[in-house]
């Protein structure tokens, strides 16, 4: 039986696994690797802080999480298909590693954020 997400090490584990899978994805991985050429050495620690804030009440995340997506959406649309694929990979990553209430919470929070952002970005494209 798998255990639940209980500490920062667990968060580091699932974030690293998620980006490991994501890099070979033609739709979402393409945005990180080709469109934006993201510096993962800088991006990943932000994501650890972000998920630690959402799941374990961490207070290290400083940022405006939607901002880069707003910027990218202006020249490379981030569509519902991108968000669906992102979520599919996120859920598969969590389920492959963890099980329990925090694991469920991670998937629910990801779904809520992805749904809201997807809707907002689509709305902004139509303005
Ligand atoms: C459509 C799917 C998505 C794509 C293509 C995408 C892509 C990106 C890119 C390119 C960055 C900038 C990385 C950098 O240069 O540091 C970024 C930042 C970020 N993304 Fe996403 N993202 C997606 C969905 C999501 C979702 C659903 C979440 C939350 C559940 C999320 C959370 C974040 C956070 C927290 C940051 C860092 C913001 C900051 O600078 O503080 N992303 N994303």
């Amino acid at each position: 039986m798998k255990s639940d997400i209980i500490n920062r090490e667990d968060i580091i584990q699932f974030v690293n696994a998620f980006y490991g899978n994501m890099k070979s994805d033609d739709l979402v991985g393409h945005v990180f690797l080709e469109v934006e050429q993201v510096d993962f050495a800088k991006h990943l620690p932000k994501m650890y802080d972000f998920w630690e804030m959402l799941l374990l009440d961490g207070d290290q995340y400083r940022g405006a999480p939607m901002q880069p997506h707003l910027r990218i959406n202006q020249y490379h649309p981030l569509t519902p298909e991108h968000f669906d694929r992102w979520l599919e990979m996120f859920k598969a990553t969590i389920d492959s590693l963890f099980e329990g209430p925090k694991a469920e919470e991670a998937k629910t929070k990801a779904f809520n954020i992805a749904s809201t952002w997807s809707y907002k970005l689509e709305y902004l494209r139509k303005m």
Side-chain angles (χ1 to χ4, degrees):
M1 185 174 154
K2 293 171 198 134
S3 54
D4 204 356
I5 298 163
I6 56 167
N7 55 32
R8 185 171 172 93
E9 280 64 47
D10 294 337
I11 289 187
I12 291 172
Q13 191 188 357
F14 84 66
V15 170
N16 287 348
F18 173 69
Y19 281 94
N21 298 333
M22 199 267 294
K23 279 181 188 171
S24 55
D25 177 75
D26 55 351
L27 191 63
V28 178
H30 171 72
V31 177
F32 279 87
L33 297 179
E34 277 95 34
V35 177
E36 280 287 302
Q37 300 176 356
V38 169
D39 179 350
F40 286 96
K42 288 193 183 140
H43 180 59
L44 290 178
K46 271 194 236 172
M47 298 312 291
Y48 307 149
D49 292 345
F50 177 72
W51 281 106
E52 193 175 13
M53 173 183 77
L54 290 185
L55 299 178
L56 304 172
D57 277 336
D59 61 3
Q60 296 181 65
Y61 179 73
R62 299 273 179 277
M66 202 181 166
Q67 203 283 329
H69 310 88
L70 285 167
R71 178 178 57 73
I72 297 163
N73 189 51
Q74 289 179 336
Y75 76 98
H76 184 91
L78 295 179
T79 64
E81 288 72 32
H82 287 93
F83 282 98
D84 288 349
R85 180 75 66 83
W86 188 103
L87 266 180
E88 197 184 300
M89 287 189 287
F90 187 84
K91 283 185 195 168
T93 305
I94 295 288
D95 288 340
S96 72
L97 295 170
F98 298 102
E99 196 169 275
K102 280 286 167 196
E104 292 306 310
E105 190 181 331
K107 290 184 283 180
T108 303
K109 287 190 167 165
F111 174 80
N112 291 340
I113 296 168
S115 309
T116 311
W117 288 1
S118 179
Y119 177 81
K120 283 187 181 167
L121 295 183
E122 192 166 31
Y123 175 79
L124 288 170
R125 284 196 299 276
K126 288 178 181 157
M127 280 177 74

